[in-house]
Amino acid sequence: MKLKNLLPFAKKEKENYYERVPYSIQNHAALTKKTDVAVVVPVYNADKFLKQTVDSVIVQTLGLQNITLILVDDGSKDKSKYMMKRYAELYPNIVSIFLEENTGSPAFPRNLGAHLANSEYIMFLDADDWLDHDGLRQLYSLMEETGCDYAVGKAVEVSAKGEKVIGRYESCKVRKNVSPYSIEHLFYHLGPRARMMRLSFIKKHQILFPELKYSEDKMFFIDVLTKVGKISTTTEVIYFLNRIPENNASLIMQTSVMEKMDTNITALKYVMDKNLPVEEEIMIVNRIIEFDSIARLFDRKHFTRSENRDQYFEKLEKLLKVFYSYNRTYQIEDMIKKPINKLYFTYFVQKEYESIIKLSKWSKFKGTRSYQVIDGLPYTVAHLDGGKKVEIPIQVQARLVSEKKKKGAVMFTIELSGHDITEIQGVNFQHRDYIASTYDVPHAIEQDKGIVTVTLTSDDMEKMEEGKYILSLRYKDYEKLTVAKDAESVCSIKDRQKTYEFYRTVNGNLSFQIVGNQ
């Protein structure tokens, strides 16, 4: 897609845009009634998952009478249309829209849904995902309280391997009316999940999803976040992403790496042409160059298995030429965060393409590694094919030095080392089976440079459910650091109902479990 098609539409062009695809509406009257929240769902051949998606909106604690659910079918060939018609017959607040031809991406259905919506706030939901039952109420209440135009909560990815939180940086703490640029990595993972916006804000700024096969979400939310001013965040679970292979055939899976790189090049031009303040631009450019390009080109198995790796190098070269054509004062190497990505970039600039290939194979197929301390700082040494050894800086690591019980408490002395020793903000307990069960104990921490003392009592843990937990030290708001434990000893304390045990995992880390007293 040409760059000009990503720019906001003029009024006349925008009106013509919505007329270019014929469509029909079932329950049109619902669009005349203003509700608290509109939920827009683009639908294409989604009959396997649509019931779970729609039902998750119907049972919202906010109340369906306060919600307009807008389903937009993009020319489905399965039973999706029948299901949409049935839902619209049963529920007056469910609007079903049927496009007469397939548009090729979720962009036009989402844009049309937002264009027709009549609500205070809007949220987008994919047709194979679902909402937490209390998700809309949580975001609605936060936006009403803060008066902001954008709020985001916790999104949980569900796959055959289990559950994990996506974009932890944006849902790791409650924030009210803060600058989006105050949250590191906020421009990563810009899908529609777990985000609510004021509809009048979207319409005022004429923000649209560009009709790309890939990255339309990224472009849309870059526009939102560069215009919104202030945002709010919550730690509550809002949204579940379906990533179970047998149930997921999204466009992302169907799009080749080279097509994705073409959209990254388009996105980079679009962002650079905005001429944002330097620090703001760097946050977005870092996402496009490091996260979307360097890491996703080279630190992936598809690269190591490719029979035509030259095309990977050519695409990155093309993207970098675009960046350098703008003559910015900052350098790419200065904004890359992860040490391994710095190595990929260094090798690329030096045209050491074989080193990139060997490093990628080492990274993705768990190559031989060793540990080395140089000038008092730790490094992982990567043993690459052919005998080359590469030193990769360890940013920060933690090792348990001592543990003891004292007056109904456990005390741990932990030593930090690395190239970026940071302030530890709390002890985090994440239930291994229930992703929503996470607890943070900030007052347990005392720190003197690289020595951290953790003191925990049964009172700190009594509200936790029984089971096993991942224990980590939290820093930089959302980053988590496991603690290496050498000894096999178990340190425990009890109260009347439970026993709290700290033990060593098979991987050699300090961990935690709660068992009921017999």
Side-chain angles (χ1 to χ4, degrees):
M1 171 166 285
K2 294 181 179 179
L3 182 61
K4 66 179 182 180
N5 292 329
L6 295 175
L7 300 175
F9 287 88
K11 184 175 181 181
K12 184 176 180 181
E13 291 173 328
K14 188 174 180 181
E15 291 172 353
N16 293 337
Y17 170 77
Y18 293 115
E19 295 172 358
R20 71 180 183 84
V21 179
Y23 58 86
S24 59
I25 302 177
Q26 187 175 353
N27 272 0
H28 188 281
L31 298 174
T32 64
K33 174 189 174 184
K34 186 166 185 177
T35 53
D36 293 332
V37 179
V39 179
V40 176
V41 181
V43 179
Y44 180 69
N45 291 345
D47 61 2
K48 292 181 181 178
F49 346 104
L50 191 58
K51 183 179 187 302
Q52 179 175 239
T53 303
V54 174
D55 287 355
S56 76
V57 178
I58 292 173
V59 300
Q60 285 296 304
T61 57
L62 184 63
L64 185 59
Q65 70 276 11
N66 300 312
I67 302 166
T68 304
L69 175 58
I70 303 175
L71 307 171
V72 186
D73 181 74
D74 197 16
S76 295
K77 304 299 182 183
D78 62 0
K79 298 178 182 178
S80 296
K81 291 181 181 179
Y82 169 80
M83 296 173 69
M84 289 170 55
K85 290 177 181 177
R86 185 60 176 157
Y87 274 116
E89 290 171 357
L90 293 173
Y91 299 94
N93 275 28
I94 296 181
V95 178
S96 291
I97 301 173
F98 304 94
L99 305 183
E100 292 187 10
E101 58 188 63
N102 177 258
T103 63
S105 88
F108 184 83
R110 287 180 185 149
N111 292 335
L112 179 62
H115 173 65
L116 296 174
N118 181 17
S119 60
E120 187 66 28
Y121 306 108
I122 188 167
M123 189 170 184
F124 297 100
L125 173 65
D126 284 347
D128 54 350
D129 299 338
W130 64 96
L131 297 174
D132 181 85
H133 292 180
D134 198 35
L136 293 186
R137 188 190 67 83
Q138 289 288 346
L139 290 183
Y140 172 81
S141 298
L142 181 60
M143 295 192 74
E144 286 287 286
E145 176 190 352
T146 61
C148 66
D149 293 327
Y150 177 101
V152 60
K154 189 169 292 181
V156 176
E157 179 181 288
V158 182
S159 71
K161 296 180 181 179
E163 298 182 351
K164 67 177 181 180
V165 176
I166 300 298
R168 290 181 290 114
Y169 42 83
E170 62 190 3
S171 63
C172 62
K173 61 190 287 189
V174 175
R175 307 178 184 91
K176 298 179 181 179
N177 286 324
V178 302
S179 166
Y181 300 101
S182 68
I183 304 174
E184 188 176 16
H185 292 148
L186 188 69
F187 288 90
Y188 285 36
H189 299 293
L190 289 180
R193 76 287 184 293
R195 310 175 192 282
M196 186 177 287
M197 292 149 284
R198 193 177 301 275
L199 180 59
S200 59
F201 164 80
I202 298 298
K203 292 186 175 183
K204 173 185 176 182
H205 293 282
Q206 298 184 337
I207 301 174
L208 298 169
F209 289 90
E211 291 189 47
L212 298 170
K213 189 177 181 182
Y214 180 73
S215 292
E216 78 284 347
D217 298 339
K218 173 170 62 182
M219 300 300 299
F220 179 87
F221 286 103
I222 284 175
D223 274 346
V224 170
L225 290 171
T226 54
K227 291 181 172 66
V228 74
K230 301 291 184 181
I231 69 172
S232 297
T233 71
T234 178
T235 59
E236 298 294 333
V237 176
I238 306 296
Y239 193 108
F240 292 89
L241 294 91
N242 181 0
R243 293 296 181 266
I244 300 174
E246 59 268 30
N247 287 343
N248 195 315
S250 69
L251 281 172
I252 293 176
M253 302 300 179
Q254 300 167 16
T255 308
S256 76
V257 178
M258 297 303 112
E259 287 179 295
K260 293 176 184 179
M261 278 302 299
D262 287 336
T263 61
N264 288 335
I265 292 168
T266 300
L268 181 61
K269 291 178 182 177
Y270 184 55
V271 171
M272 302 294 278
D273 283 339
K274 285 178 175 289
N275 288 311
L276 296 167
V278 173
E279 292 304 317
E280 298 177 6
E281 181 181 278
I282 287 175
M283 285 187 67
I284 308 174
V285 171
N286 165 262
R287 182 248 156 95
I288 296 171
I289 293 181
E290 179 177 4
F291 182 70
D292 288 335
S293 301
I294 296 174
R296 286 183 170 170
L297 277 176
F298 303 138
D299 205 39
R300 295 293 187 271
K301 288 183 179 180
H302 57 70
F303 171 71
T304 65
R305 293 168 174 163
S306 175
E307 296 180 356
N308 184 12
R309 298 192 187 101
D310 286 346
Q311 64 180 334
Y312 287 75
F313 302 133
E314 290 167 2
K315 286 294 183 182
L316 184 58
E317 183 68 35
K318 185 176 179 180
L319 179 119
L320 296 182
K321 283 182 178 179
V322 169
F323 172 80
Y324 291 129
S325 71
Y326 284 84
N327 296 314
R328 294 299 195 249
T329 56
Y330 59 91
Q331 301 298 315
I332 290 176
E333 51 267 37
D334 295 332
M335 68 180 180
I336 297 176
K337 307 290 185 182
K338 293 186 68 174
I340 194 168
N341 292 336
K342 284 182 179 288
L343 269 175
Y344 284 129
F345 182 74
T346 299
Y347 287 147
F348 183 83
V349 171
Q350 296 172 351
K351 300 189 184 303
E352 295 183 33
Y353 302 133
E354 282 301 315
S355 294
I356 294 176
I357 296 168
K358 291 176 181 179
L359 181 61
S360 180
K361 287 181 178 179
W362 173 86
S363 173
K364 305 321 295 178
F365 294 98
K366 298 180 180 179
T368 302
R369 66 189 62 204
S370 57
Y371 178 81
Q372 188 172 0
V373 176
I374 303 173
D375 296 330
L377 295 174
Y379 292 81
T380 295
V381 181
H383 298 248
L384 307 185
D385 291 346
K388 183 175 182 177
K389 296 181 180 180
V390 179
E391 297 154 358
I392 304 175
I394 296 174
Q395 298 299 91
V396 62
Q397 60 184 3
R399 182 179 65 88
L400 182 62
V401 176
S402 67
E403 58 185 359
K404 61 182 179 180
K405 291 192 290 185
K406 181 179 180 181
K407 294 181 181 180
V410 288
M411 295 181 63
F412 301 101
T413 302
I414 298 168
E415 181 182 53
L416 304 180
S417 59
H419 293 250
D420 184 20
I421 294 179
T422 186
E423 177 190 356
I424 302 301
Q425 296 168 310
V427 183
N428 188 269
F429 298 88
Q430 173 65 65
H431 200 290
R432 292 184 181 270
D433 297 322
Y434 308 108
I435 197 75
S437 294
T438 181
Y439 302 88
D440 197 75
V441 188
H443 64 261
I445 297 293
E446 291 184 10
Q447 183 172 355
D448 183 9
K449 298 181 180 178
I451 300 298
V452 176
T453 303
V454 176
T455 305
L456 293 162
T457 68
S458 58
D459 289 342
D460 294 323
M461 301 169 286
E462 65 177 352
K463 293 182 181 179
M464 300 182 194
E465 302 171 6
E466 293 183 15
K468 293 187 175 182
Y469 289 77
I470 300 170
L471 185 153
S472 57
L473 303 180
R474 181 177 58 82
Y475 66 101
K476 293 183 179 178
D477 288 342
Y478 74 93
E479 297 283 11
K480 295 180 180 179
L481 179 65
T482 56
V483 180
K485 175 177 165 63
D486 297 327
E488 294 284 354
S489 59
V490 175
C491 187
S492 64
I493 56 175
K494 295 183 178 181
D495 60 19
R496 291 182 178 180
Q497 296 180 326
K498 301 174 183 176
T499 298
Y500 308 95
E501 296 182 344
F502 297 85
Y503 63 96
R504 182 182 185 271
T505 67
V506 294
N507 293 322
N509 294 320
L510 178 64
S511 197
F512 173 72
Q513 67 177 347
I514 301 176
V515 295
N517 296 334
Q518 299 293 329

